Structure formats: C-alpha cells, structure tokens
Amino acid sequence: TLLGILCTDAPVGAAPLQQSLTDAITKSFNSISIDGDTSTNDTVVILANGAAGGKPITSTSSDEFRAFQETLTAFAIDLAKLVVRDGEGATKFVTIKVTNAKTYEDAKRVANSIARSPLVKTALYGKDANWGRILCATGYAEGVESVVPEETSVSFVPADGSEELKLLVRGEPEQVDESRAAEILAEEDLEIVVRLSEKFDEEAVVWTCDFSHEYVTINGDYRT
Amino acid sequence: VSKLAPQAREYAAPGQGAIPPSKKRYIPTSGTYPLGFSAASAHVGVKPSNTRFDDVALIASEVPCSAAAVFTTNKFQAAPVTVSRNMLNRRRGEGIRAVVVNSGCANAVTGRGGIEDAISMGHETDQCFVNDSNGKDDGQGSRSIVMSTGVIGQRLPIKKITSKLGTVYGNLGETHHHWLSAARAICTTDTFPKLISRTFTLPGSQEEYRIAGMTKGAGMIHPNMA
C-alpha cells in the first residue's frame, strides 16, 4: 500500500489544492510501480493551513497557482521515487522513459507495460541487457496506437550520464558491447529509453525496480 | 510459516529491521517543516507481534486547514478510504485538523464493522482537539482524515488504537525528530522512513513557504489514484 501525507503552510484553497494534487499525482505516484499490484488503501492527502501568510490561492488560473502546482509536482515526484528506492527486495532503481509516442497516454501505457513485466524485472535483477523482453512488453501494451516495430529503438542510459548504449535502432538489433552493458547494469540506477516512432513527440516517464528472490521471501511470509 | 518457508523472515513491524546501509543516505538528518503543523507517533501494538515499535502516527494543524486527497481506484476500497473520501466531500475540503494513520492492519475488506472502526478512529482523533482554541465543533462532523495500512481482511483493534490517541496527541511536536518518528510509524515492510521537506516561494509574494511530506510503501505498489 502507498500512503502519502503532505503539508504546506502556503495559503491554498480546497478547490485549487485538489486540482494541483490531482495533476501532480499523474506524473508522480501514479507513475511508479513496484510489483504491478494496486492496493485497496492507496491514499495521498495534502493539507494547507496558510500559516505562512500571503495572498490566498483561490483559483486555478493564477500565476501563483501554476507555480504552486509545479512545486507540488516536483516534490511529489521526489517522494514517489523514494518508494521505488525501497521496493520490496529491490536492488535497482529503474527509470523507463518512453518517447516519440502519439499521446502521453500511449507513452505511459508502454512504460507501465515494461515496468510490470516480470521477465524484464528479473532480467534487470540478473544484470542482463535483455532488450527482447523490453520490446515484447512494448508490443503487448494495450490500446497503444503509436508502436511502429520498424521505427522502435531501445537504449540504456548509464547513471553517470555518459553516452547511451543502443540495443535496438529502428527495429534492427545493434551489436551490443557486452562489457559496457555489464558496467551499466552493475550500477543501482539505470534508465531505459524506448523511442516509438519518428512521427510523434509525446513522452512519459515511469519509475520501477527489479524483482529479486527477496521479494518472494517477503511476500511468502507476509500473512493476511 | 517456518515449515512452509524456512528462509522467511518477519517483516511486519514498522522499524523492526535495521536500516540497510545503502538506504541510510535517503533519511534526512534535518528538515524545514511547515508552520503550524506538528507530528507524533506512539506504540499501540496493532499487530500483537509488535511489542516495541510505534505504529500510530498523527499529523495535525493548529488551525483548520484546506485538504485534498486522491484515493485508490481499486473496487475493493478499504474502510478508511471510503470514510475519508466521504468526509472530505461532505466538508468540501475545508476545516480539516488532522491525519491519523495506523500501520499493521489495513482495515480493508472488513465490512460494515470496518467502516464503523474507521469512523471511530476519526471521531476519537477529533476529541483530542476539542479543548484547544480552534477545536470547537463546527457542526459538520469529523475533521480528521483516517488512513490504515497493513494486512487485508482483519478488523482493527480499534479500542487499543483509540485508547492511545491521547498519548499520540500528547506526543505532538514540531521538530525533525517528531516528523521522522511519524514517518517511521506508518511503515510496514519498508526498510526506511520516507520524509522530505523544502522551502519555496510564489510569484508576487514576499513570503517563504514550506512543504513537507512523508510516504510509505514497499510492496503492492502500482498506484492508480484519482
């Protein structure tokens, strides 16, 4: 279960507060996945008491509202990432960035499909640059129009920001430098970039982790 | 359990395990917390096996405040989800004083009794505030948001919880230690408490504002909240 409690002393009315939280959640807590299971209890709340003073934010059309929304979204993303860092049994923190999609929703569906794939997650645990599993999960993402197999590319981006390792370019497999792949996968942090089509430019990011033996141990023990 | 899985370990009590060295860097040693808010925790023993660790947290505002929330879209929504959402709708997100959270039991799929337990948890939390200067009943019902996390399908030990709400209220404080204790008390299988805080400004304002947040979650995580 995910729970989140946020508090601010900024003066934000209930209606703009709800709008800003709803918007922030899409790109933060609704963009993480540990094990693909949605809990019965997930809740994130925010309280704003206005104790720091200043002009109250009462509408969703002001500059103050937009600035608050940006602050809240960035803050919620940082909190959400901590949950992924603590995924049960996780040894890796994985950013999945899907670009060149027709819509944000398409990109998000593909990213979620990859993030939920047990075979992708076990490959990551095993430090295997298994782009085939990534491509497979991309291909079965439901309701996605913008996957074009011959235009799809997959790369790993190292945590140190050095040049990406191309695994698949426009549907054609690359000759992968296995030693460099091993170096990249030895790090805790990894970014997977999937480019869908050169015709489109929407993108989405989802954060996830790998699946380890420890996950099974924990959940084989945890009892209802 | 040991016959089925001899390698299995106990993960159920918040803070029970030592924090892995690799995770310590994510735990803040200080923070800048929003004015007028305080936090606390206390040990209740929601899970009978938890004999030591705090498992109830309270985050409170000195004054009634605005509140907003998003909830799971799972069709089996836990009692605190239903109760908190109804309360926020009834109040239109205004006049909220506190968030009370227990770990160790999710109060999910617990039927009408679970709803009554969640209502009771909120109502008894309200009672902690009746004697302060902003605690007067405004006639709109509960002003506390209720959350629970832990195992599904078990009733909350509600009397144990409500009997300790005075203690947790008495523990309220504004220091980093108070906030971190609350963040730790909401944990279940988490290996470390998750707490961050920062300051920010808004255009056209001279004021400096603060935001703090705590979260928990380690498994059964694929949120789809609305």
Side-chain angles (χ1 to χ4, degrees):
Chain A
T1 291
L2 172 90
L3 298 182
I5 304 131
L6 291 74
C7 303
T8 180
D9 51 21
V12 190
L17 195 64
Q18 183 65 58
Q19 184 65 54
S20 59
L21 179 66
T22 302
D23 288 350
I25 286 301
T26 302
K27 293 190 173 177
S28 58
F29 290 104
N30 276 2
S31 290
I32 63 171
S33 185
I34 302 291
D35 49 19
D37 273 318
T38 300
S39 170
T40 53
N41 289 54
D42 292 338
T43 305
V44 175
V45 303
I46 181 167
L47 302 157
N49 67 4
K55 183 181 157 193
I57 297 173
T58 55
S59 83
T60 56
S61 57
S62 65
D63 289 343
E64 292 85 350
F65 172 78
R66 280 185 283 275
F68 178 73
Q69 191 173 37
E70 282 178 21
T71 298
L72 180 62
T73 301
F75 188 81
I77 286 172
D78 287 348
L79 264 178
K81 285 180 178 177
L82 285 179
V83 175
V84 178
R85 294 268 178 209
D86 203 16
E88 284 173 345
T91 69
K92 296 213 169 294
F93 177 87
V94 184
T95 302
I96 299 173
K97 185 174 181 180
V98 176
T99 69
N100 302 93
K102 187 174 184 182
T103 61
Y104 171 78
E105 289 72 23
D106 265 12
K108 183 89 172 276
R109 284 192 191 104
V110 171
N112 270 330
S113 186
I114 297 167
R116 291 177 95 143
S117 162
L119 288 175
V120 169
K121 294 161 88 76
T122 48
L124 292 168
Y125 175 66
K127 302 181 176 61
D128 176 15
N130 198 322
W131 55 265
R133 294 181 184 179
I134 295 169
L135 212 60
C136 178
T138 299
Y140 65 63
E142 286 187 19
V144 177
E145 294 178 21
S146 41
V147 175
V148 182
E150 57 273 18
E151 294 179 20
T152 300
S153 301
V154 178
S155 297
F156 283 176
V157 179
D160 64 8
S162 59
E163 190 181 356
E164 67 181 35
L165 177 67
K166 292 178 180 175
L167 305 171
L168 183 85
V169 177
R170 294 185 193 89
E172 294 292 331
E174 291 285 289
Q175 189 68 39
V176 177
D177 179 345
E178 292 293 345
S179 62
R180 179 141 191 270
E183 280 175 26
I184 292 171
L185 285 159
E187 298 295 320
E188 181 180 329
D189 287 21
L190 170 71
E191 181 175 328
I192 298 170
V193 178
V194 179
R195 298 176 176 89
L196 297 182
S197 168
E198 288 156 11
K199 298 189 195 78
F200 308 121
D201 57 6
E202 290 295 327
E203 64 179 54
V205 178
V206 165
W207 294 275
T208 190
C209 57
D210 57 343
F211 258 152
S212 70
H213 304 273
E214 189 76 352
Y215 181 85
V216 178
T217 301
I218 292 168
N219 287 288
D221 179 47
Y222 201 77
R223 284 287 187 276
T224 291
Chain B
V1 171
S2 61
K3 281 181 186 171
L4 289 169
Q7 81 282 21
R9 290 184 277 164
E10 279 291 332
Y11 280 89
Q16 189 171 30
I19 292 167
S22 63
K23 308 292 185 188
K24 285 184 178 169
R25 63 193 153 126
Y26 301 117
I27 305 171
T29 54
S30 64
T32 307
Y33 297 101
L35 304 177
F37 283 100
S38 52
S41 65
H43 172 254
V44 168
V46 173
K47 280 181 85 86
S49 59
N50 174 19
T51 57
R52 287 175 55 197
F53 300 99
D54 288 1
D55 50 6
V56 171
L58 180 65
I59 295 92
S61 172
E62 283 177 9
V63 295
C65 52
S66 307
V70 288
F71 300 99
T72 182
T73 52
N74 190 314
K75 288 180 181 172
F76 287 96
Q77 299 198 330
V81 168
T82 302
V83 169
S84 295
R85 186 183 54 228
N86 290 347
M87 186 273 279
L88 282 169
N89 285 342
R90 188 177 62 249
R91 286 189 156 274
R92 298 178 186 275
E94 300 288 0
I96 307 303
R97 287 299 302 273
V99 182
V100 62
V101 191
N102 77 271
S103 59
C105 176
N107 191 10
V109 202
T110 44
R112 185 170 300 182
I115 295 284
E116 289 167 1
D117 291 343
I119 291 170
S120 173
M121 198 164 146
H123 177 73
E124 293 302 318
T125 302
D126 295 336
Q127 297 306 304
C128 296
F129 298 96
V130 293
N131 293 323
D132 74 25
S133 57
N134 294 300
K136 190 178 173 188
D137 186 354
D138 63 2
Q140 294 184 57
S142 180
R143 42 179 50 186
S144 299
I145 295 166
V146 179
M147 294 181 179
S148 297
T149 179
V151 293
I152 294 173
Q154 289 181 359
R155 290 286 298 273
L156 276 182
I158 190 64
K159 287 190 176 163
K160 276 173 85 174
I161 292 173
T162 55
S163 71
K164 287 291 183 73
L165 290 174
T167 302
V168 69
Y169 175 77
N171 290 345
L172 281 171
E174 299 166 0
T175 70
H176 174 68
H177 171 76
H178 289 94
W179 283 86
L180 194 60
S181 295
R184 190 176 287 119
I186 67 174
C187 292
T188 51
T189 58
D190 308 56
T191 64
F192 67 94
K194 299 158 192 67
L195 171 70
I196 56 176
S197 61
R198 65 183 55 149
T199 59
F200 64 99
T201 56
L202 294 172
S205 172
Q206 304 295 318
E207 316 297 335
E208 181 177 71
Y209 298 106
R210 284 144 291 270
I211 186 167
M214 64 182 72
T215 186
K216 67 80 50 183
M220 198 180 274
I221 301 287
H222 187 89
N224 184 19
M225 296 177 287

